[in-house]
Amino acid sequence: MAGHSKWANIKHRKAAQDKKRAKVWTRIIKEITIAARDSGPDLDSNPALRLAVQNGKGANLNKDTIERAIKKGSGAEAANLQTYTYEGYAPHGIAIFVEATTDNLNRTVAAVRSIFTKSGGTLGTNGSLSFIFDTKGVFTVDNTSLKGKDEESLELELIDGGAEDVEKDEEITVIYTSFDDYGSMQAKLAELQIEAISTEIQQIPKSTTILSIPEAQEVLKIIDKFEEDDDVQCVYHNLELTEELIAT
């Protein structure tokens, strides 16, 4: 299964985002806290928490921080955390999908709206970008965990688990499934004794848009503003990250 350019586009942007290590840790700590709050602190009986902790370990989050986040999930502060999504457009018609986790909805809405409007974009209604993005399961696996496995047999097993596309480079393999097959792939990887570095639900664009370098850089500045906001967990877009743009 060959990966498509849209997958590479997301992966390149994700790699750039993951350089902001503190931001990644903040996102994962919130995920752990909410998972512990919603279904309890026991990893064995709480698959959402187990996955969040796994993602934390993959991002080199230390054990003490993970344990504090789990403990926080049983406190009153965690009860106020809620997840919201926002959809809109940056200049030049680029679609922006924002996921935020916050304890103050008014603050978050005001911040998101301000970034859109001050940057020449528009905040739309939820569902307005459903024709642009697909909700996908995304599993990232370190290639060292695949050593000794027959590539053809592994591909067939992954297809059986619901894989729609697989992208591989020298260090990692990224597996994409439909939203409905997210759980099936979790089970398949467990059956194959393959531990993912991270497992996520992401918004993947059905197609991407190429802009000139100045236009694209204008859009990337807006994306950076969203990613710098403490309440924002993830930002997705349909800007094509060309090799020329990545090199700038």
Side-chain angles (χ1 to χ4, degrees):
M1 292 173 289
H4 301 309
S5 60
K6 59 182 178 181
W7 309 129
N9 186 60
I10 290 296
K11 190 177 71 174
H12 282 307
R13 186 60 195 156
K14 187 69 164 58
Q17 181 178 345
D18 283 353
K19 291 179 182 178
K20 303 174 183 178
R21 182 67 63 188
K23 177 67 177 180
V24 175
W25 285 350
T26 298
R27 174 176 63 81
I28 294 174
I29 287 169
K30 286 184 178 179
E31 291 176 354
I32 293 171
T33 300
I34 291 173
R37 178 198 67 187
D38 291 346
S39 301
D42 182 27
L43 292 176
D44 292 333
S45 61
N46 186 344
L49 178 59
R50 189 162 60 247
L51 288 172
V53 169
Q54 181 178 317
N55 289 343
K57 291 178 179 178
N60 295 318
L61 199 61
N62 66 59
K63 182 180 178 181
D64 288 344
T65 301
I66 291 173
E67 290 178 349
R68 283 197 299 270
I70 293 173
K71 185 177 180 179
K72 183 179 177 181
S74 60
E77 183 181 350
N80 297 322
L81 283 174
Q82 299 294 330
T83 299
Y84 301 92
T85 61
Y86 304 93
E87 302 173 32
Y89 286 91
H92 315 298
I94 297 300
I96 303 284
F97 190 107
V98 178
E99 293 180 355
T101 300
T102 179
D103 58 1
N104 187 325
L105 178 59
N106 290 336
R107 178 190 68 219
T108 305
V109 171
V112 170
R113 181 180 290 112
S114 176
I115 293 172
F116 271 117
T117 56
K118 288 183 178 180
S119 303
T122 56
L123 176 63
T125 58
N126 279 0
S128 61
L129 301 183
S130 60
F131 68 100
I132 295 178
F133 292 97
D134 283 327
T135 304
K136 299 287 186 181
V138 182
F139 300 80
T140 304
V141 177
D142 191 308
N143 288 341
T144 57
S145 67
L146 303 180
K147 285 184 177 180
K149 296 185 182 295
D150 178 74
E151 188 170 339
E152 185 175 345
S153 298
L154 176 60
E155 183 171 306
L156 292 174
E157 290 281 6
L158 294 178
I159 291 173
D160 183 60
E164 294 181 341
D165 274 280
V166 175
E167 229 188 24
K168 185 175 184 178
D169 64 17
E170 294 180 357
E171 297 180 354
I172 62 171
T173 294
V174 184
I175 305 159
Y176 300 88
T177 73
S178 69
F179 176 77
D180 291 339
D181 284 330
Y182 183 71
S184 298
M185 183 54 68
Q186 288 176 330
K188 175 57 69 173
L189 292 178
E191 175 190 326
L192 296 172
Q193 297 183 321
I194 296 173
E195 184 172 342
I197 299 171
S198 69
T199 64
E200 299 177 292
I201 297 295
Q202 294 186 14
Q203 301 299 321
I204 305 294
K206 297 176 182 178
S207 62
T208 53
T209 299
I210 297 177
L211 298 178
S212 68
I213 296 299
E215 290 175 338
Q217 289 177 331
E218 184 181 348
V219 173
L220 290 179
K221 287 180 181 178
I222 297 171
I223 293 169
D224 285 340
K225 288 180 181 178
F226 280 120
E227 291 178 343
E228 289 166 2
D229 188 281
D230 288 341
D231 293 336
V232 172
Q233 293 283 88
C234 298
V235 183
Y236 305 100
H237 59 84
N238 67 336
L239 173 65
E240 177 71 31
L241 294 175
T242 63
E243 294 298 328
E244 184 182 7
L245 178 59
I246 294 169
T248 60

